[in-house]
Amino acid sequence: MSTARKLRVAIVGAGASGIMSVIKMREAGIDDITVFEKAASLGGTWRDNRYPGLSCDVPSHLYRYSFEPNPDWSHVCSPGPEILSYLKQVVEKHDVARHIQFSSEVTKAEFNAGKWTIETTQGPQGAFDAVLVAVGVLHHPVYPDIPGLDSFAGPAFHTSRWDDSVSLKGKRVGIIGTGSTATQITGAVIGEVANLSLFQRTAQWVLPLPNTPIPEEEKADYRANPGKLDAEYGRLAKEFNSNFAAAVVGANDEAYQGMVMACQSNLDRVKDPELKAKLTPDYKVGCKRMIMSDIFYEAVQQPNAEVVTDKITAIEPGGVRTADGRLHELDVLVLATGFDTHRFVRPMNVIGREGRRLDEIWSGGNEGYLGVTVPDLPNWFMIGGPNSPIGNFSWLMTAENQFNYAMKLIDKLRSGNVTEISPKVEAVRAFNAAVKAKMPDTIWATGCNSWYVDKNGHVASWPWTYEKFEADMAEPVLDHYEMA
Ligand code: NAP
């Protein structure tokens, strides 16, 4: 590989993907890197989310950087604060912080003559040869459009904007939403609140994944034998990818049937027929992102829990009013209403080749190439761009694969012969046509509403197996790129 040109690279976002990108980019020999982070600290989703019960639902030994195995994970799926502290330790060890400009949100990025000129809330930042976008997917909170939301008299906050000053102990708490976030909070707080009203619009399938502590002897064994840690990673990756991830894209029916049975028998733990009926989804297992919890059903069967399925008509100072006319009186209202996963970098003003705006390029829907590159945005590389594998793999595995792919294209810019690289329109069209043709085989396209589905009704995930993703990421097909 020729490194004739010294590149100046901008990374947007100091979350898990941005941190990894700095480390791997430096390892590849690029040191002139600035990370623009809009918040005052790092960690992305693990910084933003601090709600009670927060943990990852991907096994910890899989949810780690390939280059930083961690023998010390406390649980099969570790708590959020532990993941944030892992990220901080990695940052410290690899001296990443010197690259990060905090409280500097990118407001504009404009491409001209082989360079991206960047402006942030701190002012103009100059020109960069490449931009790596690592802003995450579950990032922009969705606030429900319910009349009177602002009129609630007590504390009300989105789960990713948790108000740490509010104690839930002995309070009447309402949670709107029943996704992964709401179910984790429910399990964590049911023992301390006076009562909990869980406002459910759509029932969820729940896979009873036990989250047990990892014994000290096992951790000591991993410390003493790093090979065992690698083997555990390999075992989990194989199991996860060939079972769960393959099942949801229609590539492993036996595993899918196993998931269906596990979810159904978990639901059978709900004894009261009326409650069970409320909690029974009317769509296929896995269509929405599955909930992983072996404590949720137990929590909602507690005497101080109520699952409310009547439509919310208004929020009033005293609580939540439902269509049956009842006012559910509350002290605290938690909005577990999820994220807009289709906004990506917006509201950033991105102006590509010949003045083409990202909003214009994506006016008919977000389309890119293999989740990494976008036509008319040369030298612009996304971690988790449109149709990346979201939700069903370890995000850190996906991010590293996409980084490695992007780095091979960035190497072309380093060679000195190329100053602009972007995917050919035909390649992008062919990829998106293949996505659309394959999507009906997936479980996400079987007729439910979920955060995978965009405003046009298109499922915005990767419809193939993880093995295919890794193969596609292994080496860019240069014929699919235009270079100048
Ligand atoms: P989500 O899965 O999108 O759930 C949002 C919930 O809010 C849904 O139940 C939705 O109902 C409800 N909702 C939205 N607007 C509403 C309204 N106006 N009125 C009533 N209900 C409304 O969001 P999430 O729970 O934050 O999870 C998002 C993703 O983050 C997860 O799927 C997962 O990938 C990730 N996550 C992972 C973990 C983990 O690792 N354990 C934890 C949390 C989150 P409908 O279903 O009817 O739309």
Side-chain angles (χ1 to χ4, degrees), residues 46 51 54-58 138 142-146 158-159 176-184 199-204 288-292 312 336-339 391 449-452:
W46 300 108
Y51 60 78
L54 170 69
S55 82
C56 190
D57 60 10
V58 171
L138 294 154
V142 168
Y143 288 86
D145 186 14
I146 300 173
H158 189 273
T159 51
I176 300 181
T178 47
S180 302
T181 303
T183 51
Q184 286 188 340
F199 296 93
Q200 173 191 279
R201 190 165 65 180
T202 313
Q204 293 268 13
K288 278 174 176 293
R289 170 62 150 70
M290 248 186 327
I291 310 297
M292 320 287 182
I312 298 173
T337 40
F339 300 87
N449 184 26
S450 77
W451 60 261
Y452 300 128

Side-chain angles (χ1 to χ4, degrees), residues 310-341:
D310 293 291
K311 189 178 180 324
I312 298 173
T313 51
I315 293 172
E316 301 179 8
V320 170
R321 179 83 62 184
T322 45
D324 56 352
R326 184 173 157 201
L327 179 69
H328 302 262
E329 290 183 51
L330 302 171
D331 302 310
V332 181
L333 180 60
V334 174
L335 309 172
T337 40
F339 300 87
D340 180 351
T341 53

